[in-house]
């Protein structure tokens, strides 16, 4: 709807004519986006909030003016004032919007510099929430995720086309998100087809990040390893009922652990690497309980020799069985 309204305004203004580079072809609009801060990443909602700075540069000869001697080399305009001036000259502002934005868009700074030759420099610093539908958690917590800030033109590429502004593209040094490490960024300008069948220019700042693994090593893998060692150490007990009691306690602990980890991710239709790790721990703990139940049965049946042989086999095969099971699960993933 907003595009149709802008096109209608464009048609109304066409009586005056569209000045500038667009008169003989589309006007080139140079765009740069820098990521200043990652406010937060919501994995369950698959979005992230960020502070970013948008810079736009293009030339509009209709806005050129005669400089005053001794005056600053440019004029500062508010956005509203600039729109009034554009309307008075009968030209169109190269409107754009964050294409993957969700929720509110809070501006903290906005301004326009106008130079004597008609060069327009627009700057905007804002905080917004952006969609991140490309999340893939199969390798969680060893995963690498891609994030994008996309800016799309409100007017078709027959009027305005985007180009990258390399000197104002990238990510800041202090992003403020402790869980993630941003290791690369890219900028891409492409064309998307709108619902009206017309092409629209789009600028995308993409950045890739992976997780700080120390947190997950300390919070997940070390506790799970301790649980496995406790489960294996029960084979040193001769009281099979005590073994069963400890095994059931460990199993309940794993269930609680699994629910806690599940709160960090959406309800996925596939298994993650940590799911395979936990599932393997479930299986080996359950198998230990079943072995101890069988040993208790044979103890009642006075089959001490069979019980001793199974006990020795389980104690020796515990870790190899777990490693084989985990390797198979990870290969299947």
């Amino acid at each position: 709807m907003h595009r149709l309204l802008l096109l209608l305004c464009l048609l109304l203004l066409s009586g005056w004519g569209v000045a500038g580079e667009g008169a003989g072809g589309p006007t080139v609009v140079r765009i740069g986006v820098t990521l200043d801060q990652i406010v937060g990443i919501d994995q369950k909602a698959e979005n992230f909030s960020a502070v970013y700075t948008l810079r736009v540069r293009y030339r509009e000869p209709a806005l050129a003016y005669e400089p005053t001697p001794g005056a600053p080399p440019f004029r500062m305009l508010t956005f509203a004032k600039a729109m009034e001036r554009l309307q008075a000259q009968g030209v169109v502002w190269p409107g754009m919007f964050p294409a993957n934005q969700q929720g509110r868009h809070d501006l903290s700074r906005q301004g326009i510099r106008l130079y004597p030759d008609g060069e327009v420099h627009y700057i905007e610093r804002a905080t917004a929430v952006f969609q991140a539908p490309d999340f893939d958690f199969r390798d969680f917590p060893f995963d690498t995720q891609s994030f994008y800030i996309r800016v799309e033109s409100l007017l078709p590429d027959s009027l305005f086309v985007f180009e990258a502004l390399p000197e104002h593209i990238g990510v800041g040094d202090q992003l403020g998100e402790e869980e993630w490490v941003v290791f690369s960024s890219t900028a891409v300008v492409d064309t998307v087809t709108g619902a009206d069948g017309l092409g629209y220019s789009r600028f995308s700042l993409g950045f890739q990040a992976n997780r700080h693994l120390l947190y997950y090593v300390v919070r997940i893998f070390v506790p799970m390893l301790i649980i496995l060692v406790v489960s294996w150490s029960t084979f040193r007990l001769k009281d099979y009922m005590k073994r069963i009691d400890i095994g059931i306690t460990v199993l309940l602990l794993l269930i609680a652990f699994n629910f806690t980890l599940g709160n960090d991710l959406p309800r996925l239709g596939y298994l993650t690497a940590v799911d395979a790790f936990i599932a393997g721990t479930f299986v080996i703990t359950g198998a230990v309980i079943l072995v101890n139940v069988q040993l208790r049965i044979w103890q009642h049946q006075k089959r001490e020799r069979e019980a001793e042989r199974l006990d020795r086999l389980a104690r020796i095969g515990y870790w190899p069985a777990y490693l084989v099971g985990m390797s198979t699960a990870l290969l299947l993933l």
Side-chain angles (χ1 to χ4, degrees), residues 60-75:
E60 179 49 75
L63 296 179
Y65 65 91
E66 190 67 31
T68 304
F74 56 83
R75 294 177 180 174

Side-chain angles (χ1 to χ4, degrees), residues 250-277:
V250 169
L251 197 60
L252 292 173
L253 179 61
L254 287 172
I255 293 172
F257 204 81
N258 189 44
F259 275 111
T260 302
L261 287 177
N263 290 330
D264 292 336
L265 298 177
R267 296 180 180 179
L268 304 171
Y270 53 84
L271 293 179
T272 66
V274 77
D275 288 334
F277 184 67

Side-chain angles (χ1 to χ4, degrees), residues 198-212:
L198 299 176
Y200 294 85
S201 232
R202 182 178 67 176
F203 172 91
S204 300
L205 172 68
F207 57 97
Q208 291 70 48
N210 50 31
R211 304 172 193 270
H212 283 292

Side-chain angles (χ1 to χ4, degrees), residues 23-325:
T27 299
V28 176
V29 179
R30 303 177 70 205
I31 290 184
V33 175
T34 55
L35 176 68
D36 300 321
Q37 181 183 2
I38 300 174
V39 179
I41 297 174
D42 190 336
Q43 298 175 117
K44 296 188 73 172
E46 294 191 62
N47 60 37
F48 68 100
S49 53
V51 180
Y52 71 93
T53 300
L54 167 68
R55 290 178 174 85
V56 177
R57 295 181 183 178
Y58 79 107
R59 180 166 295 173
E60 179 49 75
L63 296 179
Y65 65 91
E66 190 67 31
T68 304
F74 56 83
R75 294 177 180 174
M76 288 297 299
L77 302 175
T78 64
F79 187 77
K81 205 72 175 176
M83 294 306 101
E84 289 178 9
R85 186 158 181 172
L86 286 170
Q87 187 175 7
Q89 294 292 331
V91 294
V92 179
W93 171 253
M96 59 199 69
F97 67 100
N100 61 328
Q101 176 192 323
Q102 288 182 334
R104 295 181 57 184
H105 178 258
D106 298 321
L107 281 171
S108 60
R109 183 175 63 188
Q110 186 183 42
I112 292 178
R113 283 184 180 181
L114 180 60
Y115 290 83
D117 61 353
E119 183 79 10
V120 179
H121 290 193
Y122 171 76
I123 186 170
E124 168 186 307
R125 193 170 193 266
T127 303
V129 177
F130 299 95
Q131 293 175 315
D134 302 314
F135 281 167
D136 187 341
F137 299 107
R138 285 180 174 83
D139 295 330
F140 173 80
F142 309 103
D143 51 329
T144 296
Q145 301 295 348
S146 298
F147 305 82
Y148 295 94
I149 298 176
R150 304 188 191 276
V151 179
E152 190 173 327
S153 175
L154 283 165
L155 296 171
D157 56 4
S158 58
L159 298 174
F160 296 101
V161 292
F162 290 165
E163 281 188 3
L165 192 60
E167 61 267 31
H168 294 297
I169 294 174
V171 298
D173 297 328
Q174 301 291 329
L175 294 179
E177 174 54 57
E178 296 302 327
E179 180 181 355
W180 296 85
V181 180
V182 176
F183 62 87
S184 69
S185 63
T186 55
V188 177
V189 175
D190 59 0
T191 301
V192 295
T193 302
D196 52 9
L198 299 176
Y200 294 85
S201 232
R202 182 178 67 176
F203 172 91
S204 300
L205 172 68
F207 57 97
Q208 291 70 48
N210 50 31
R211 304 172 193 270
H212 283 292
L213 287 180
L214 181 61
Y215 172 86
Y216 293 94
V217 169
V218 173
R219 292 298 184 93
I220 297 177
F221 297 108
V222 170
M224 295 294 283
L225 181 61
I226 292 173
I227 289 172
L228 288 171
V229 171
V230 169
S231 180
W232 175 76
S233 66
T234 60
F235 287 112
R236 299 176 64 87
L237 299 174
K238 293 302 181 182
D239 189 336
Y240 299 138
M241 284 304 300
K242 287 289 185 184
R243 291 189 188 183
I244 295 170
D245 291 340
I246 294 173
I248 293 173
T249 302
V250 169
L251 197 60
L252 292 173
L253 179 61
L254 287 172
I255 293 172
F257 204 81
N258 189 44
F259 275 111
T260 302
L261 287 177
N263 290 330
D264 292 336
L265 298 177
R267 296 180 180 179
L268 304 171
Y270 53 84
L271 293 179
T272 66
V274 77
D275 288 334
F277 184 67
I278 293 176
T281 309
F282 268 117
V283 170
I284 197 70
T285 303
V288 168
I289 294 173
L290 292 176
V291 166
N292 288 323
V293 168
Q294 185 61 48
L295 290 172
R296 177 64 174 168
I297 293 172
W298 282 349
Q299 187 181 48
H300 275 290
Q301 295 175 348
K302 307 301 183 182
R303 299 169 61 180
E304 301 293 343
R305 184 173 297 177
E306 290 92 335
E308 185 178 342
R309 186 161 50 245
L310 177 61
D311 194 19
R312 184 168 58 253
L313 180 63
R315 185 168 59 253
I316 295 172
Y318 180 91
W319 292 109
Y322 180 74
L323 292 175
V324 170

